[in-house]
Each structure stands twice: as C-alpha cells, then as structure tokens.
Amino acid sequence: MAFIAKPVKLGAHTDKSKRKRVHVSADDAKLLNKKAKVDTTTSDLNAVKQKGTKRNAALIQDITVKWEKLRHPDTTAAHRTDIVHEILNQVQGRVADLAMSHTASRVIQACAKHGNEADRKALLAEAAPRVVDIAKSSYGHFLLCKLVSAATKAQFPEILKMFRGHIAQLLRHPCGAAVIDDLYNEATRKQQAAMAAELYGREYVLFSGEAKRLPELMKELPAAKQKAVLRNMAQHAIPIMEKALVDPPLVHRILAEYIAASPGTSVSEAVQLLSGPPLVRLVHTKEGAQVACAVIAYGTAKDRKKAIKGLAGQADSILKMAQDEFGHVVLLCILDTVDDTALLKKQIIPELQSNLCELSKSKSGRRIILQLLHPNHQKYVPLHLQQMAHPPPKPASGFKILEDQEQVGETLGGSKKDNELRRQEILGEGASSFAGLLCKACKLNAADMLRDPQACDVIVEVAQAGSSGKICCRMCGYTCLSTVSKVGKAC
C-alpha cells in the first residue's frame, strides 16, 4: 500500500503534522503519478510556448500595427508594397516561429497575399526547413495554404518538393490534411499520382519517376510485393479512417484503391470504420462515391444501418446527395442493396418524396426515380454509373494485411431479398406512398414536366406504369396514363 498526503485548505490548521493521510492502492498511486507527470509535461510545453511568445512580443506588437495599415481599404497599392517589405525585413529569420502564433500568423498571411512573387519565394525559403511543424500548427497551416494557392506554375514544383516524403504523415493530422488537400487540388495529374504513390511504400518516395495508379502497379508486381504495398497502405489508411479525416480527395482516391485491391478481411475492417457520419463526407467525388458504394455493398446489416443513419443525419443531406453528380449513385446503391425497406422508408424515402418535382427536373435526381420505375435502363442510368452503384462481389476469404494471415469466409455483403419485392416495398401502396405521391405530382404538374427535358422521361415512365406493368398505377390508384394523354393533347 502507498501513502499519499491529502492536502488541506490553508487556514487555521497549516501544520504539516495535522494533515490527514489516506490509504491509496499501488495501482491508484501509479495512476496519480502518471497523471501528475502528464500535467507537468503539458505545463512545460505551455511554458516554452509562452516563452517564445514573450521573446517576440515586441516584434509582434510592432508588425500588428503595420498590419492594420496594410489591410485598411484606403491604403494604396504602392503603400501596401512598402509595408509588406518593412514587415518582411523585420521578421526575417523568424517566419517559422511567427507563423505558429495566433496574431503574427495573420500578419505573415497578409504579406503573402499582398506581396509579390519574390516576397512569397522568400517566405517559402524560410518555411521550408520546418514545413511539417508549420503544417501541423493550427495557425501556421493557413500560411502554407495561402502560399500554395498563390504559387505560380514555376514555384509549384518547388513547393511540392518541400512536402515530398511527408504526405502520408500530414494526411493523418487535421491541419496537415488541409494543406495536402490544397496541394493536391493545385497539382497536375502526374503530380497527383506521385503524391498518392507515397502511400504505396518508401521506395516510391525515394525513387522519382512517372507514378502509376495502384491497379496498373499491382499487375506488374509479384504476389509478395503486392502484399507489401497493401500493408503500407493499410498502415496509413487505417489511422486516417479511425480519425475520420476523410475530407481530402486524395484520401478518397487512396481508400478507393485500397478497398478495390484488398482482400475481404481487410475490406470488412475498412467498412466498419467508415460506416456512420464520415460517409457523408465521401460522396461528392467519384472516388469517394466508389468508397461509399463499397461500404454499402460489402457491409453487414448493422454496418448499412449505421451508414444510412450517418448519411441522413444532417438536414437536407439526402436531397443534396440526390442532386449531386456522384452522390446520387450512392443512393442508387442503397435502394438496390439494402434489404431493410422499413429503415429506408424512415431515413431516405421521406426526403425524396417531399421533393419529387424538384428531383424530376434534376439531371442526377431523376435517375433515382427512374431506377425505381425502370431498373438498370442504360438510357436513364449509364453503364459506368451502374457498375459504380453495384461493386463486384468480393470473397470474405483472404489474408489479413497487417497480420499476414489467411482467413476463409463467404462473400461480403450481398442482398437476400428479391429485387422486385424490394422495389415494390419502396414504392409502397396507397395515396401517401412514394408511388402515390409520384403519380399525384405527375398529375398536378403534367404540362410543366412534359416541357422539361429531364422530367419528361419521368412522366412517360409513370404513364407506362413502370417496367413491370402498372406497378405504380395499381398501387396509387391514379389513372396516370389518361391524365398525361389529355395534357399532352392540350400542349
């Protein structure tokens, strides 16, 4: 047993001999000592930071006054240039430290904004030795984002070279990921491929050359080397998914390649990590939509439920997805894959059926309605989008990438319910069902929809009662064909 003195409040009894002693177990004593050590470390870091701020306090105060003049709307362009040069002369040699300060960082950013190409080149030269520290700083990363966005074509390769070898590390940090995101958006296709290749392995960082996408690379490598590449990707991708840092398009690309090339056991782990709120941040890019469709297709019923609740967790998120160029493909996958139609009617369908006219006139949104009326018709849903919405079956067997162990199992995901039965359950019965409200919308807006280049296909399919004959009219009770015919003649 360890004995720890319990401090008492200063007052009448300040004698050390009168302090109470309490009995604490050895484990509790170890925990308290560990906590005290962490508190001491944190206080030491804060002390160092405060010391650095105090050392530059006078300088920060001086350049802040000049910054106020710099950003004033009445300041002339010539005067701004003079102020920028004055500030840069004062902060020479201290840019890296000042960039990580709250106020000073904004001053340096203003210099990058209003300065010329030579000024930005000087800032980059000072930031280069500590680029990783600045990128991870909650204030400093804004300066790097500013320099990346303002860089010329001649400067950009030099900036990219500064981050070479640090891409994977920064993608695992919230602030660093924002810098890499801007860098990736400004890069060319070849440069983007080189950035992605850093997550394939160390050798792809050390040896420069034309980088290839993962599917092309895997075809050229032997089986042992393929496992090594996937192991490297897993070591970087899993922490990113655990921290839900899935916003950058580069992460979407890496996850799409990783899920497509990995065995079923590793894909199941990725599906579990991505099911939920992070999924909604993937659906706005092509690679991100591929990942989201894979999560739905390869997930268990529990994973799908978490994914759907995560997608529907924000206001108007389903409507925005339905009208998005790639987001609507994820909804197509959900409506064609998920067997729990009661969950769909609760989380997905209400927002769709409350905006049927708007969706009918949307190039992307109408595909969701047409897929229910006439499934997998290439006139309405192109073949490449159908392939994205229905990922190929993936066996659950395979080796665990990080453990390098073989496991055997059945095919991932899949659906047990008949497609036609699922479709009928989603369309529903009665005037308040999806089918009923769709027929009603067509009846009330027939003239307008017939003139619209997108909505006209919807009203034609409703009039024909879908691909399986009178499925809509039989369920909703409206005589859509006669209504549309009368309006068509009037038009």
Side-chain angles (χ1 to χ4, degrees), residues 471-485:
I471 183 171
C472 286
C473 294
R474 176 171 56 82
M475 291 183 174
C476 67
Y478 286 103
T479 55
C480 300
L481 184 59
S482 60
T483 302
V484 174
S485 299

Side-chain angles (χ1 to χ4, degrees), residues 349 352-353 356 369 372 426-428 430 432-439:
I349 300 301
L352 296 178
Q353 66 186 17
L356 288 172
I369 300 173
L372 290 171
I426 292 173
L427 289 170
S432 61
S433 65
F434 185 91
L437 293 173
L438 179 60
C439 291

